[in-house]
Structure formats: structure tokens, C-alpha cells
């Protein structure tokens, strides 16, 4: 009797495993979770939804992180990792005593604005979780807000002393500046709707120029 031909069947890809041309599942999940936590907060972020956005199985949350709280902390680690090089860049500008004080202040404002524009999820994650549950707010403040403020505190103090910044305390100027520069991704479109003559392509640079002109009293 002739042996029955065995069908050649390609092995199925294990659940949660990704093909070589796709991003690593853990990193994809972290990116999707960071976005979800930034947009919806801790309670509003749905595990299954952002797992679907990352194109991974929802059980990868348990496999890689254990639970939602641990995943949130991993997202904070990711946000810190993105923010640290930017803070180092700002500090380098702030400490460059070879440049005039006014020039350093302008450059720092521009650097912060460009970072926010390039990293909306980082910006929104910090803003949302710095004011949510106290335990998460403390982590965000200690790991991001305080270090970010430390990079510019002396520069802003020097600006106040020179009369370029009119504020009783550098922390107040830091908070006001970040609020002004912290515009949503849709900012260019929204601005264009109320002022069609402003080209969306140039609106962020115009925001930087306006912030500098408004906040700094330059000679």
C-alpha cells in the first residue's frame, strides 16, 4: 500500500510572537501603552485596546509586565529615557557661559518647544500623570519635573537678576513657559482655523518667536 503523502504544513507562529519585519512586541506594547496612558489616564487606558493597537496579544501585558501598574511604570521608564537626552541638551545650553545670557535663554526656549513638538506622548504623559493619583504624580515629579527644572533653575535665576525675566521665582517662570509651549499636536490646524493667514507649516516657529518676545525682556 502506498504511503499517504504527508501534507507539508508551515508551523504556526506562536501567539504573541512577531515576524522579523515587525517591531519587537514589548516595545510596540510600550509605545501603544504610553500613548493610551497619555491620552486617557491610568483608569481610562484599556489593556485590550492598546494591545490591539500594538498588534500583540493582550496576555503579553502579564508576560512582560505582570499587571497594569507595572506596565505604567515601564512606560514612565520609557518616557524618562526619551527625556534625559533632551534635558542634557538643555543643560548644556544653559551652562555655556561663553554665550550671552539672552542668547542662552532664547536657545533653551527653542529647544524645549522643539522637544514638545517631536514628542507629544511624552509631553501629554507628564502633564496628565503629574496631576493624577498622588503615588504616580510623585514618581513623575521626582523622575522628570524636578530634574527638568534643575537644568534651567540657575539660568532662569540669572535671567531674573538681569531683568530679562520678570518673575519672583524661577519655578514660576518654568511653569508658565512650559504651559505656553505645551501645545497639542493639532495646534497648527486650530490656529489656522481662527487665523487662516497663518501657515500651519510655520505656526510652531512663530509660537517660539512669540513666546520669546512675550516672556523675555531683551535689550
Amino acid at each position: 500500500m502506498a504511503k499517504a503523502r504527508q501534507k507539508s504544513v508551515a508551523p504556526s507562529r506562536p501567539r504573541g510572537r512577531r515576524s522579523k519585519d515587525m517591531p519587537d512586541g514589548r516595545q510596540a506594547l510600550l509605545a501603544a501603552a504610553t500613548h493610551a496612558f497619555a491620552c486617557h489616564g491610568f483608569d481610562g487606558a484599556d489593556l485590550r485596546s492598546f494591545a490591539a493597537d500594538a498588534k500583540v496579544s493582550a496576555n503579553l501585558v502579564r508576560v512582560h509586565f505582570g499587571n497594569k501598574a507595572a506596565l505604567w511604570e515601564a512606560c514612565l521608564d520609557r518616557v524618562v529615557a526619551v527625556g534625559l537626552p533632551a534635558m542634557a541638551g538643555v543643560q548644556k545650553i544653559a551652562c555655556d557661559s561663553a554665550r550671552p545670557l539672552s542668547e542662552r535663554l532664547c536657545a533653551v526656549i527653542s529647544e524645549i518647544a522643539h522637544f514638545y513638538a517631536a514628542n507629544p506622548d511624552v509631553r501629554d504623559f507628564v502633564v496628565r500623570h503629574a496631576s493624577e493619583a498622588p503615588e504616580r504624580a510623585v514618581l513623575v515629579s521626582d523622575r522628570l519635573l524636578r530634574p527638568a527644572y534643575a537644568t534651567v533653575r540657575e539660568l532662569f535665576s540669572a535671567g531674573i537678576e538681569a531683568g530679562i525675566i520678570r518673575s519672583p521665582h524661577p519655578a514660576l517662570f518654568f511653569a508658565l513657559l512650559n504651559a505656553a509651549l505645551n501645545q497639542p499636536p493639532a495646534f497648527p490646524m486650530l490656529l489656522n482655523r481662527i487665523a487662516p493667514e497663518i501657515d500651519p507649516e510655520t505656526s510652531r516657529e512663530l509660537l517660539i518667536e512669540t513666546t520669546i518676545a512675550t516672556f523675555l525682556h531683551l535689550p
Side-chain angles (χ1 to χ4, degrees):
M1 184 192 285
K3 288 183 180 178
R5 281 188 184 174
Q6 290 186 347
K7 251 186 175 180
S8 176
V9 180
S12 60
R13 185 158 48 94
R15 290 188 66 187
R17 197 68 69 78
R18 299 166 77 75
S19 61
K20 291 180 181 178
D21 60 340
M22 298 177 77
D24 173 74
R26 186 179 190 277
Q27 294 306 314
L29 184 55
L30 273 175
T34 301
H35 179 73
F37 285 133
C39 293
H40 307 297
F42 184 83
D43 293 330
D46 178 68
L47 296 177
R48 291 189 177 280
S49 294
F50 57 67
D53 289 342
K55 296 181 174 58
V56 299
S57 171
N59 68 6
L60 275 191
V61 174
R62 179 180 55 79
V63 170
H64 285 304
F65 306 103
N67 56 40
K68 189 177 182 180
L71 173 59
W72 181 89
E73 289 201 35
C75 289
L76 176 59
D77 289 341
R78 181 176 183 270
V79 167
V80 171
V82 172
L84 284 177
M87 284 189 267
V90 167
Q91 188 167 39
K92 184 177 180 181
I93 295 169
C95 296
D96 186 2
S97 57
R99 299 172 71 176
L101 176 60
S102 58
E103 185 180 310
R104 283 182 282 153
L105 286 165
C106 292
V108 160
I109 290 175
S110 179
E111 192 82 0
I112 294 171
H114 284 113
F115 175 78
Y116 280 151
N119 300 278
D121 282 347
V122 171
R123 178 200 63 208
D124 293 345
F125 186 97
V126 172
V127 170
R128 181 175 289 277
H129 295 286
S131 59
E132 271 200 343
E135 64 273 16
R136 290 190 289 277
V138 168
L139 287 173
V140 171
S141 296
D142 287 349
R143 297 190 60 189
L144 278 164
L145 294 180
R146 290 177 190 274
Y149 173 56
T151 64
V152 293
R153 182 180 58 236
E154 291 186 13
L155 179 69
F156 290 172
S157 293
I160 290 171
E161 188 176 343
I164 297 173
I165 296 172
R166 295 179 184 173
S167 171
H169 197 284
L172 291 169
F173 183 76
F174 174 77
L176 186 61
L177 176 65
N178 279 275
L181 297 176
N182 189 4
Q183 297 299 321
F187 164 74
M189 179 186 66
L190 295 174
L191 185 63
N192 181 254
R193 284 181 178 170
I194 61 174
E197 65 275 15
I198 298 179
D199 182 357
E201 294 295 321
T202 62
S203 59
R204 290 201 179 274
E205 291 303 320
L206 290 173
L207 173 67
I208 295 171
E209 292 175 15
T210 302
T211 302
I212 289 172
T214 304
F215 284 16
L216 302 182
H217 299 270
L218 300 172

